[in-house]
Amino acid sequence: MPTAHKGSPAEVAALDAYIKLMRASETVTARAHGIIGDLTLTQFGVLEALYHRGPLCAGAIAEKILKSAGNLTLVLSNLERDGLVVRQRDCQDARRVIISLSPAGRDKIAALFPKVAAAITAEFGPLSPAEQAMLGELCKKLGRGRTPSSTAARE
Amino acid sequence: MPTAHKGSPAEVAALDAYIKLMRASETVTARAHGIIGDLTLTQFGVLEALYHRGPLCAGAIAEKILKSAGNLTLVLSNLERDGLVVRQRDCQDARRVIISLSPAGRDKIAALFPKVAAAITAEFGPLSPAEQAMLGELCKKLGRGRTPSSTAARE
DNA sequence: ACTTTTTAGTTTCACATTGAACCATCAACC
DNA sequence: GGTTGATGGTTCAATGTGAAACTAAAAAGT
């Protein structure tokens, strides 16, 4: 017989909600992933950021897609190799690298984004507009009022 | 000026909810990740599965933590190298490999799990019990009634 | 009994991911 | 104007990740 952890009711409820939250986000993401074909999710994220914001320096992209700087260097290299983005040193500040979509990259994301948006919308179809808004509100409340130390300290 | 995608109101609402869903799950997971120290999230998932279910064959673990079989082989190898789990061929079915916690692995997950559970519970603190239940329900409804083909087909 | 076929794990490959170390460049300051 | 410090990217090491090819073993079909 496995040694089950005995949690308080509050813990059981929170862990249950957490598991459902994770499963839902993974399910929706997996469905979107099926649409984008040869691109990876991160590559799609980069193209999407450039598509909706215009040329950005590498750091700005990393911040937008919540990935580390080191990671982004590799992803950009792969995208550049595939001819989807262009790297260009900033004349004003030679440390910066400006990333912009190539024509091929623009075509690709312009064709892909509506499909992904439609797929995600379909995925949220089981929820009414009010339920979607409610879900968004509840998610927004998560992680609030919590300093990094306050959770790590106890025990 | 960036070329923004013009989505229908339904798309805007769904994408907005999706982004909040992703951010919430990433925030909570990141907080938990800060607790487990030298373990990776996947390693923690494996130990947690073994802790609460007892010895499992590799395939069962892969299914439980939603990772590919090939991936699990590597993760188990790393855990085995670190002395946290033990691999053992099944006598009844020589294809199977039974994975069990080593004493060190059991000690580690027994010490760690309550901390992670407490951290996640704290993370969900901003939500009332009713709100947590509501969040769980909404998440459960996502991804329902949707065959893999139904989303990929159109357009 | 001897094929298939299926199942369980491993291996391989390409890419992703983070954190740390590193390098170049700009900014501040004396 | 040369040192110091901060900033932006790249590189590196270790791990994770999935898909596909591969191996071994059990199960099924004949």
Side-chain angles (χ1 to χ4, degrees), chain B residues 102-125:
Chain B
S102 73
R106 177 166 295 276
D107 287 351
K108 181 154 230 167
I109 188 64
L112 223 43
F113 184 81
K115 292 189 196 175
V116 171
I120 291 178
T121 303
E123 206 65 30
F124 276 77

Side-chain angles (χ1 to χ4, degrees), chain B residues 40 42-43 67-68 71 74 78 81 93-95:
Chain B
T40 69
T42 304
Q43 288 173 338
K67 295 292 152 61
S68 68
N71 180 15
L74 173 65
N78 288 336
R81 179 204 53 194
D93 185 340
R95 291 170 303 182

